[in-house]
Amino acid sequence: MDSDDDRGADGISGAAPAVAASTGETSAAGVFAAEVPVAEVPVAGVPGAGTGDSEAPVVVGGMAGLSFPYQVAAAVALAVCGVIACVQLAMVFLHVAPSNTLTKQHGAAVDEWIYPEFEQNWKLFAPNPLQQNVAVQVRTELAGPDGPRTTAWTDFSAEDGRAIRGNLLPSHVQQNELRRAWDFYVGSHDDQNRANGLRGSLSEQYVRRLVMLRLTGHHDGETVLRIQVRSEVRAVAAPEWSDEKISTGPSYRVLPWWKVEAADVPKGTAGYEEADQ
């Protein structure tokens, strides 16, 4: 007969489960060892542990998860987008860069790519912020009962300025339409107001039509016979802390009188029928 000391010693040494299994006796340690294999005990944080799987499933994302034809299509699309982006950057760079051999040889191609969607109003390495206040003013010759009469100058730029001041969301028309129209005209005409090619003629037509559109409501439906446009240019004053002396007196560029034609008057406005005759 085994003593209690002998059984305790066997349990500590790990031989008890084997003896119990051979003699038909069971213990708590023997049941655990026989029914729960050590390799199948789940381990927290280890995918697939305790399930018998040697490897966890791998999820593949991105282009690698697509089938081969779709991978080819995606690669071609990315390549096309990359080429277009490079061409765009190159064209914009050539457009704003100083004159060089490439712009002299391929200037027409650059302009075709840039205008009108990607036009830039500054020059690379030489920014040219506005240093003058330019106001566009108009006067008209109206047909009256006692003969034609000429009105005073109307400052359209001042009207736009009043519409912008205090307006948190001024429209693009109020901010830029008149200014850009005048810049278009000045840039396509010489000092004698002679047009430089087709863009000069187009800019004149644009200014005439814009002026007639803006005159709507100014003369109570009276017929406009002729219009005259001028610009009043004043240099921006020097800041208070500067010792620079700048003359802020006005200088004018006065255009010749233009006879109003049917093409200059938007349809539906007062005076259109008379101008068409």
Side-chain angles (χ1 to χ4, degrees), residues 67-190:
S67 62
F68 180 74
Y70 285 103
Q71 288 183 2
V72 173
V76 171
L78 290 176
V80 171
C81 292
V83 170
I84 293 176
C86 292
V87 172
Q88 169 70 10
L89 290 175
M91 289 297 185
V92 173
F93 178 84
L94 292 175
H95 177 66
V96 301
S99 179
N100 54 70
T101 303
L102 286 177
T103 55
K104 291 179 180 179
Q105 293 180 352
H106 307 288
V110 174
D111 289 342
E112 289 180 1
W113 180 278
I114 292 296
Y115 291 107
E117 290 84 2
F118 308 115
E119 180 182 1
Q120 307 293 316
N121 296 319
W122 54 276
K123 298 298 181 182
L124 191 65
F125 309 123
N128 187 25
L130 293 177
Q131 299 179 357
Q132 298 173 326
N133 291 320
V134 181
V136 179
Q137 303 170 349
V138 178
R139 66 176 177 177
T140 61
E141 184 180 89
L142 303 176
D146 300 328
R149 63 183 181 89
T150 303
T151 65
W153 290 100
T154 301
D155 194 333
F156 286 163
S157 297
E159 292 181 356
D160 288 345
R162 287 191 293 269
I164 292 173
R165 292 187 185 94
N167 188 350
L168 295 178
L169 298 173
S171 69
H172 179 76
V173 171
Q174 294 168 340
Q175 297 180 82
N176 297 313
E177 183 182 48
L178 184 63
R179 177 181 61 84
R180 294 298 308 277
W182 183 254
D183 289 344
F184 185 24
Y185 180 88
V186 173
S188 57
H189 286 74
D190 58 19

Side-chain angles (χ1 to χ4, degrees), residues 228-248:
Q228 189 175 32
V229 184
R230 74 175 184 183
S231 64
E232 180 185 275
V233 181
R234 296 177 182 267
V236 176
E240 296 180 356
W241 47 263
S242 175
D243 296 332
E244 187 178 4
K245 303 298 181 182
I246 299 178
S247 174
T248 57

